Amino acid sequence: MTARYGIIGYPLGHTMSPVLHNWGFGQFGLDARYEAWPLEPEGLSAFIERVRTDDIRGVSVTIPHKRTVMEFLDRITDRAKAVGAVNTLYWDGGELCGENTDVIGLVAPLRKLARPASALVLGAGGAARAAVAGLLELGIGDVAVANRTASKADSLAQDFNVRAIPWENRMDHAPGLICNTTPLGMAGAMEDRTPWDADRFPAGCIAYDIVYNPLETRFLREAREAGCATVSGLEMFLHQGLAQFALWTRLNMDEECARVLLLDALA
Ligand code: ATR
């Protein structure tokens, strides 16, 4: 019987996850299929019952279910507990488990670069929580958060025992890594915007944008022009997906081929 996988979210906009996972299944000759399942919040409890009874092997979880799904699971990894959000359901020894591969995906491209001593996360939403957890997991000693709404930065900083700095003063700091988790620079109305002034990039810093559409945001372009290393949100997306696939199948997709696949899908 064809093994079933899918993504839940609402509204479920365009997602590249089916492209990635179905390609992976094909590469390994697995009889499996990954589908998109739009799911309203009220349907979550019944859906999890279906996962248990219909032998669904793995689920990607996105907004608005990342937090609420946690109460329905048998086990949650420490990483996902720290973030307070689950983006992956998988089976382990008969238990339905929750992991957060956004954190794994965020960290993976940074492991290929020299580890910065300090980092500044811009934004204080769900993505910022994953970013802070990842940067701490990477061993960065000095992590700070700046957010337009200061109270949200304060509460995130308190949860992770990191520093909050005022949004207005963010560019007075010279971190080794700047990670944008705000929608500034995203395709559409925000595309011309950036959370950082072009002439304020610290020498040698890494600029990381979790936005992947466009592939190179204004923030990343100006950082590159200032001589900084840059990491696109596509890397985070790719690696969170590779980590999901490995949890589900115990197999590792070829990273470079998967990257080319996603670049083609975005083009
Ligand atoms: P996500 O789950 O992707 O992190 P979110 O929880 O909606 O999404 O968080 C979006 C973040 O981007 C928030 O920190 C938000 O700042 P506020 O807390 O002040 O709302 C930030 N953000 C959104 N629009 C912004 C803008 N125009 N300028 C600066 N920050 C912005």
Side-chain angles (χ1 to χ4, degrees):
M1 200 171 75
T2 303
R4 300 183 67 202
Y5 298 83
I7 179 167
I8 56 167
Y10 199 82
L12 201 52
H14 175 73
T15 163
M16 289 194 295
S17 293
V19 171
L20 181 68
H21 292 297
N22 285 321
W23 177 81
F25 295 144
Q27 287 294 300
F28 290 104
L30 302 177
D31 182 11
R33 191 174 64 231
Y34 183 103
E35 296 166 273
W37 295 318
L39 180 75
E40 293 187 44
E42 309 76 63
L44 184 60
S45 162
F47 173 80
I48 297 295
E49 274 317 301
R50 264 189 50 215
V51 172
R52 293 180 185 280
T53 53
D54 293 6
D55 193 29
I56 290 172
R57 303 282 181 84
V59 182
S60 308
V61 181
T62 186
I63 292 163
H65 306 302
K66 284 186 176 188
R67 292 178 86 87
T68 44
V69 76
M70 295 173 81
E71 66 175 288
F72 300 106
L73 307 180
D74 303 321
R75 189 152 53 81
I76 294 166
T77 63
D78 289 343
R79 179 185 285 125
K81 275 186 206 157
V83 181
V86 155
N87 82 324
T88 309
L89 308 188
Y90 66 101
W91 289 99
D92 183 25
E95 288 187 310
L96 186 58
C97 304
E99 172 61 290
N100 191 311
T101 69
D102 287 336
V103 178
I104 301 171
L106 183 119
V107 169
L110 293 175
R111 293 196 195 280
K112 298 173 187 165
L113 302 170
R115 187 172 71 196
S118 60
L120 174 59
V121 174
L122 304 174
R129 294 184 73 86
V132 170
L135 299 174
L136 293 174
E137 196 171 306
L138 195 62
I140 297 180
D142 178 12
V143 177
V145 187
N147 190 52
R148 183 179 61 176
T149 308
S151 58
K152 282 208 236 163
D154 290 342
S155 97
L156 192 158
Q158 202 170 8
D159 286 353
F160 287 92
N161 199 20
V162 298
R163 289 189 298 140
I165 61 175
W167 179 251
E168 308 71 49
N169 302 346
R170 64 195 181 284
M171 283 177 274
D172 299 342
H173 296 257
L177 170 82
I178 308 165
C179 180
N180 175 46
T181 75
T182 75
L184 296 171
M186 222 177 242
M190 296 278 192
E191 187 150 353
D192 287 342
R193 302 188 58 188
T194 171
W196 205 264
D197 292 347
D199 56 357
R200 300 293 293 275
F201 284 101
C205 96
I206 303 168
Y208 195 142
D209 205 329
I210 67 153
V211 173
Y212 63 73
N213 186 14
L215 262 182
E216 188 177 65
T217 55
R218 178 174 166 191
F219 170 64
L220 291 188
R221 177 172 40 82
E222 291 177 346
R224 178 173 55 75
E225 287 166 356
C228 302
T230 61
V231 183
S232 146
L234 188 74
E235 290 300 311
M236 176 175 170
F237 178 80
L238 166 67
H239 286 282
Q240 66 77 31
L242 298 185
Q244 291 190 325
F245 193 85
L247 277 173
W248 295 335
T249 65
R250 315 245 167 241
L251 295 167
N252 293 308
M253 277 191 226
D254 182 281
E255 179 185 321
E256 189 46 35
C257 291
R259 181 178 290 110
V260 170
L261 175 89
L262 293 180
L263 285 169
D264 279 353
L266 272 176

